Amino acid sequence: MVNLKLVKALFIISIVIFSIGCSKDDESPIPVVEIPNPIEPSYSVPSTYNFVNASGASTVDFNGQKQRLEMAMELIDYIKTANTLGVSISASTLNNMYANTGYTWLDVPALGLTGSTKQLKDKTAEGDVGVQNMVENYFDSLEVLSNLNYDNSAGTYGFGGVWDNGVKSYLQAGSGIEYKEMVEKVLICAVFMNQMTINYLGSIANDDNDNILSGKTYTEMQHHWDEAYGYFTSEINYPTEGTDRFWGKYTFAREAVLGSATTISQAFRTGRAAIDNKDYLTRDVQIAIIRNEMEKICAGTAINYLNQAKSNLTNSVLKNHQLSEAKGLIDGLRYGYNSVSGNGMTSTEIDTALVYLNDFENITVSDINTLIDLVASKTGLTSVKTSL
């Protein structure tokens, strides 16, 4: 059970300290501020993301997000087929999957993907055409590389195709960049994280929480909170389930060091319970927690891949793969709330960091360590950077 009384008290104290610390009149006596005594909430927080109304009917609905997560999974799986020499993929097919136009999905979970109005493209970076074009350019590069049908088992830079070290094989450009990773990281950062931390959680305070939507069991605010949750995971009992893909996977993988799987799932459940009980102070505390943890997971996973790359500098195939993962995640930080709001690693700082990943072939341990130090210092991970 979350100690909501303690959370509220700490939040109020932080506001008081901030207001005192920002006083422009240093010669004025510091006022004595009486901190109000928070009222202990009468509601509880469930152990899973399961919320019902007085009639016992579920008030949770994030089916649109489930569809988009599954679309992204199928799109990435299709790209991965080109990791096998002789298999080519089509940019046109990828474009159709991305925009969900005229594509017939496998849809193993039977979510109704084919013919659905949901898509990934229009949610990319809040509809930013430049970012959408970047994704589609990646698709073009993937088609070209897959059609080369070139076996780069020697791992020679300057030759794009299937790089194979006898254990792992990946479709990589002559520079070593792996476009599959770049596509995936745009989807999870510019779509999922962006929608979660900026679109839904950013406007939640303006949502109606008094009236049940027509034909539904939930209010606008409840629904939008659920949709933010759905971009994190499709499973209501995360992290028991939902640890096999996208943010659910990366967050769970960092749990031992950062504890973010527990923290984020608890924050989402606490925030939803707070909304159900019109406790908006607690809701806003959870929003800040989610945003901060998402930045740490994104940066922390990038650092994890950079640490792996240091151990594989002589194995070009693995090094390229790990550096591509890190590059995509560091670039992806710019789509989260903390970066956009200026509270986290800024876009300019991200561009500076990415310079260290311009040359996969000649990158050194010193380059990687400098990059790790930079990212860690800007995202509050300096104390755990070697453990990630």
Side-chain angles (χ1 to χ4, degrees):
M1 180 78 60
V2 180
N3 191 332
L4 293 176
K5 183 175 182 179
L6 176 59
V7 169
K8 279 190 172 183
L10 290 174
F11 184 73
I12 294 170
I13 290 170
S14 69
I15 293 174
V16 172
I17 292 173
F18 179 80
S19 63
I20 294 173
C22 291
S23 174
K24 294 182 180 179
D25 188 355
D26 294 334
E27 296 180 359
S28 299
I30 298 176
V32 177
V33 180
E34 184 175 340
I35 300 173
N37 183 28
I39 299 174
E40 181 71 26
S42 60
Y43 60 89
S44 61
V45 177
S47 59
T48 64
Y49 201 87
N50 183 30
F51 297 88
V52 297
N53 60 19
S55 301
S58 174
T59 62
V60 175
D61 177 13
F62 49 91
N63 289 330
Q65 286 63 43
K66 289 180 181 179
Q67 288 185 340
R68 290 189 181 91
L69 262 63
E70 192 62 26
M71 288 175 182
M73 196 74 247
E74 280 200 37
L75 188 153
I76 296 302
D77 283 345
Y78 174 60
I79 293 175
K80 287 165 65 175
T81 62
N83 289 339
T84 300
L85 189 67
V87 176
S88 61
I89 55 179
S90 162
S92 176
T93 297
L94 287 167
N95 284 324
N96 289 339
M97 298 175 85
Y98 184 43
N100 193 19
T101 54
Y103 184 76
T104 302
W105 302 90
L106 295 176
D107 194 8
V108 174
L111 297 174
L113 303 189
T114 302
S116 168
T117 59
K118 308 302 181 185
Q119 56 170 281
L120 295 164
K121 182 176 180 177
D122 64 356
K123 298 299 182 183
T124 301
E126 299 178 276
D128 188 305
V129 175
V131 182
Q132 293 171 345
N133 289 341
M134 180 179 70
V135 174
E136 292 170 342
N137 288 336
Y138 289 154
F139 294 160
D140 292 338
S141 296
L142 284 161
E143 179 180 285
V144 170
L145 286 170
S146 68
N147 281 315
L148 290 176
N149 195 25
Y150 183 77
D151 182 0
N152 195 6
S153 298
T156 304
Y157 285 92
F159 295 89
V162 176
W163 295 52
D164 188 344
N165 67 359
V167 178
K168 292 285 188 179
S169 62
Y170 302 104
L171 184 69
Q172 297 171 343
S175 64
I177 193 74
E178 189 175 332
Y179 288 111
K180 173 262 178 184
E181 294 304 330
M182 302 308 293
V183 170
E184 180 175 345
K185 300 314 178 282
V186 173
L187 294 180
I188 70 170
C189 294
V191 180
F192 302 160
M193 182 170 67
N194 182 270
Q195 285 287 305
M196 182 197 317
T197 65
I198 295 179
N199 183 28
Y200 287 113
L201 297 186
S203 60
I204 201 85
N206 298 321
D207 289 340
D208 174 52
N209 195 33
D210 294 318
N211 303 296
I212 301 299
L213 294 174
S214 178
K216 306 296 182 182
T217 59
Y218 44 76
T219 67
E220 180 184 48
M221 187 181 293
Q222 289 172 326
H223 184 48
H224 286 168
W225 187 272
D226 294 346
E227 291 186 301
Y229 177 81
Y231 278 116
F232 177 70
T233 179
S234 58
E235 304 303 323
I236 64 169
N237 61 342
Y238 183 85
T240 300
E241 293 184 274
T243 60
D244 57 338
R245 63 181 181 178
F246 306 136
W247 289 121
K249 175 182 177 180
Y250 288 142
T251 305
F252 188 71
R254 309 282 87 75
E255 175 73 353
V257 178
L258 300 178
S260 296
T262 299
T263 301
I264 292 176
S265 59
Q266 181 173 286
F268 266 118
R269 288 183 282 106
T270 302
R272 180 53 147 82
I275 288 171
D276 290 359
N277 291 275
K278 295 182 169 55
D279 177 4
Y280 302 129
L281 178 60
T282 297
R283 176 204 64 191
D284 292 346
V285 171
Q286 308 315 308
I287 290 173
I289 290 172
I290 292 165
R291 286 167 166 171
N292 289 337
E293 291 298 317
M294 286 303 300
E295 181 183 52
K296 285 180 175 160
I297 284 301
C298 191
T301 303
I303 291 172
N304 171 264
Y305 281 116
L306 292 171
N307 282 329
Q308 291 183 54
K310 287 191 293 184
S311 302
N312 289 302
L313 286 185
T314 60
N315 186 330
S316 59
V317 176
L318 286 181
K319 177 182 70 170
N320 293 342
H321 175 69
Q322 290 153 356
L323 292 179
S324 294
E325 295 254 25
K327 183 180 179 75
L329 287 164
I330 293 171
D331 187 62
L333 282 167
R334 73 177 79 246
Y335 303 111
Y337 173 83
N338 282 13
S339 179
V340 172
S341 66
N343 295 318
M345 194 170 184
T346 67
S347 187
T348 298
E349 290 168 341
I350 290 167
D351 290 338
T352 298
L354 290 173
V355 171
Y356 291 95
L357 293 173
N358 281 344
D359 186 353
F360 284 13
E361 180 178 7
N362 298 303
I363 196 168
T364 65
V365 169
S366 177
D367 293 331
I368 296 175
N369 282 335
T370 300
L371 176 55
I372 289 173
D373 290 345
L374 176 57
V375 174
S377 69
K378 298 298 182 180
T379 56
L381 296 173
T382 298
S383 64
V384 295
K385 63 185 180 184
T386 59
S387 302
L388 288 165

